[in-house]
Amino acid sequence: MALRACLRGRRGLTGVLSQLSSCNSHGRVSPVLIAQQRNNSTSQKIQVDFDQSTSVAVMRMQNPPVNSLSLEFLTEICINVEKLEMDKSCRGLIITSDRPKVFSAGLDILEMYGKTPERCAEFWKAVQEMWLKLYSSNMATIAAINGSSPAGGCLMSLTCDYRIMADNPRYTIGLNETLLGIVAPFWFKDTMVNTVGNRTTELALQLGLLYSPAEALKVGLVDQLVPEDQVLTTAMKTMSKWLAIPDHARQITKSMMRKPTIDRLMSNRESDIKNFVGFITKGSVQKSLGMYLEMLKKRKA
Amino acid sequence: MALRACLRGRRGLTGVLSQLSSCNSHGRVSPVLIAQQRNNSTSQKIQVDFDQSTSVAVMRMQNPPVNSLSLEFLTEICINVEKLEMDKSCRGLIITSDRPKVFSAGLDILEMYGKTPERCAEFWKAVQEMWLKLYSSNMATIAAINGSSPAGGCLMSLTCDYRIMADNPRYTIGLNETLLGIVAPFWFKDTMVNTVGNRTTELALQLGLLYSPAEALKVGLVDQLVPEDQVLTTAMKTMSKWLAIPDHARQITKSMMRKPTIDRLMSNRESDIKNFVGFITKGSVQKSLGMYLEMLKKRKA
Amino acid sequence: MALRACLRGRRGLTGVLSQLSSCNSHGRVSPVLIAQQRNNSTSQKIQVDFDQSTSVAVMRMQNPPVNSLSLEFLTEICINVEKLEMDKSCRGLIITSDRPKVFSAGLDILEMYGKTPERCAEFWKAVQEMWLKLYSSNMATIAAINGSSPAGGCLMSLTCDYRIMADNPRYTIGLNETLLGIVAPFWFKDTMVNTVGNRTTELALQLGLLYSPAEALKVGLVDQLVPEDQVLTTAMKTMSKWLAIPDHARQITKSMMRKPTIDRLMSNRESDIKNFVGFITKGSVQKSLGMYLEMLKKRKA
């Protein structure tokens, strides 16, 4: 309820910006120039195409190389989702990637490595905000997963109402945080439990499992597999089924299903941030992340 | 606990009647003539056959044309279930339909269309009472689903301990409320989550899904499919397995599994009624129901 | 948190012993001779082999004839698990049976038949303690189920992180308490719900279902079936995958998944004991157990 009230209470785009920057700004909110709502908006990292004839927006992520969720990118996602949320003519949102082979590689590790606690807190607040906005969206949301989707990429998919994945065995999806020596927080866990149940989640989170599309379908992590070139068109067709349902009945039902999970983070946001910052700034965790980054560099070379 | 105490505390059939009529009677409970308990009781809309040799009662719904759950019919169901509940020699209850092609079409829309708030409240209280009685029954209960079972019909099936459905692809089952622009309340949702899990419920309730028998079996909405002419005989055979378990151990176990869900409605009955009445008497919702009724009339013609 | 604090707070093996005996000793804790930690320890009923090169301990149950969980045996299990838990070089625990055809036959019925309430309370406290230790273990735990595993044997398996069962159709596994006229308590139920979900648990507990290995795999009660002679070797191979995950990330994740369930027993231990003692010492329940024991005797003869 708090969340919805919060969403409704916002009069413009300043909401998310002020909130995301509040850790730094000590309460002073800089004035923000707000572009007028357009049917199609393009920022550096996000391309949104809204088709008024279908009431459906397609949001394409284009943050090279692998749509890593940096603070800046998360902020852009939040702004764009909020903009669509407030446009009552937009009833459905499809999220997909404009980058080859990857939906999103998840949270940007560079945002968690060698950063001040303040910066880490700001980053984590943006991760929370992205999840809150998407998981509580009044729009029908579909993830068109046209590439690999580990960690935060998987979380983003899990916030949607429906998940269609490219049937390419090279792609994987899963909350694999433990592999990096870090831990998925309770609301990542809650979101996964809500989707695939407790036991699959326990196994997946402990072992940091990344599933092939076929395995992901089997455990219910995604709802449908289609050939790679049909991911978006299938998402469009599927969306028309969702939009055949009266909005108010669907929205009340969605809120009834998700509200307890959303409320749990809403009433624990600050402690969750403190918990994250305390954990991520530990010497041992920083060392793990450093080693992981080294490994990534070597792989590229 | 409250519920069980409440059930035990009742000394006769006046319990349910007084409760169901209490909204109208402002506390005055009319004296009710109670027929003595018989092994076989037949009302206009319910036929109960209780076989003392097997300790099993079969309750046949015969409310033409499609066993719609009107206030009157719900009240009869409650009276009959309560009667059997208090007869300690009755250990098992099989619920089935005497109408062709349909188990129950669900809540009677005429009870929700163009009615006073008081009448809507009375109706909703009866729906709650039916669910409470069946979901908390000390008897082993089996739904012999010999026809389509949408909405309230599905809910009635879900209250049972076991569901056997006719394997006829023309039949469907599901909580399809959103299709009509209305919303399954939290305790419908809880009952479905308890049966098929969170994700299947989220998908089914948002989209108002009606499942074929084969699909219903796959997601766990029913437990077994049999040819149409074997639904009742299979239910009888299955019941004998349930009655092979010592009653007290089975009953304590059933209560342990279901009590939290039952308590949730028990402690929110009034607010749930208010919520229903507020929603159903809205102009937009009444308009939706009116259009739906028009469509049904045209279909018949 | 309480549990973990409790585990960390213990300085030696006296913890479990004093706790287990506290109902009888009225606060006086007898001094206990503690054997020094060895890599391999053998008591009468438990054989522990700890391989420092792999960091994995194998605990073999050898309590003839069928590894029944008596008070003495439970106490030995707790002592051995606690010993390994405190040895930071031990990262993984495999639990298996040294007895032919049976993993564990479950709680020793002789501990519940014709005993004083005080003794019953002491016994139940030990059952709780075994579950608490295993379900909250910081080690990765695998059940190598090389025989039948009813009731308490199934519970012990369910506490582990992973279950590998011998693919022998003669073996069964399940919480079949109702068959004996007794009832699985809420934390048995919670553990099963966490593993196989609510509906499968409701059905299994009410009917006291014992599953074949194939059925157990299908509903998720076990994770993997292998030929009987490969149960232990498969457990060893599987353990190496678990130990490839950084301990701290895996442990925090495990605790996040299981803490609510553990806390629920921790804050209801005394009432759970009272409840058990009240139930098990009833005349009707004692009679049921007596009949069951008679039947077992006749079977043997």
Side-chain angles (χ1 to χ4, degrees), chain A residues 5 41 67 109 181:
Chain A
S41 75
N67 289 330
I109 293 170

Side-chain angles (χ1 to χ4, degrees), chain A residues 66-188:
Chain A
V66 289
N67 289 330
S68 288
L69 301 166
S70 63
L71 175 55
E72 189 190 351
F73 189 41
L74 285 165
T75 307
E76 279 200 34
I77 291 172
C78 287
I79 291 172
N80 277 282
V81 171
E82 187 166 327
K83 202 191 289 189
L84 296 168
E85 199 76 53
M86 289 183 302
D87 181 350
K88 292 203 170 175
S89 67
C90 182
R91 301 173 57 214
L93 170 63
I94 294 169
I95 303 177
T96 194
S97 166
D98 214 45
R99 303 294 312 160
K101 297 179 191 165
V102 69
F103 179 73
S104 163
L107 304 187
D108 189 340
I109 293 170
L110 293 173
E111 297 279 11
M112 303 187 262
Y113 184 65
K115 291 285 185 294
T116 63
E118 290 72 26
R119 171 77 186 191
C120 287
E122 191 179 9
F123 172 64
W124 198 246
K125 197 164 192 173
V127 180
Q128 292 178 336
E129 191 66 25
M130 181 269 285
W131 179 82
L132 287 168
K133 286 223 173 322
L134 287 174
Y135 202 57
S136 71
S137 174
N138 269 321
M139 297 180 280
T141 53
I142 294 180
I145 310 166
N146 53 349
S148 280
S149 196
C154 177
L155 179 75
M156 189 182 263
S157 303
L158 288 174
T159 63
C160 291
D161 292 313
Y162 198 78
R163 283 160 286 286
I164 298 162
M165 189 170 185
D167 193 7
N168 182 335
R170 294 192 173 189
Y171 298 159
T172 59
I173 183 168
L175 295 178
N176 61 323
E177 280 80 356
T178 54
L179 286 183
L180 284 67
I182 59 176
V183 175
F186 73 88
W187 41 287
F188 282 50

Side-chain angles (χ1 to χ4, degrees), chain B residues 65-83:
Chain B
V66 289
N67 289 329
S68 287
L69 301 166
S70 64
L71 174 56
E72 189 189 351
F73 189 41
L74 285 165
T75 306
E76 280 198 37
I77 291 171
C78 287
I79 291 173
N80 278 282
V81 171
E82 187 166 326
K83 202 190 291 189

Side-chain angles (χ1 to χ4, degrees), chain A residues 203-236:
Chain A
L203 205 57
L205 291 194
Q206 283 206 65
L207 293 174
L209 294 183
L210 286 172
Y211 295 89
S212 71
E215 293 163 339
L217 181 69
K218 198 179 165 194
V219 300
L221 200 57
V222 300
D223 297 299
Q224 196 178 344
L225 302 184
V226 296
E228 196 154 356
D229 59 353
Q230 295 169 28
V231 173
L232 193 59
T233 52
T234 307
M236 301 292 267

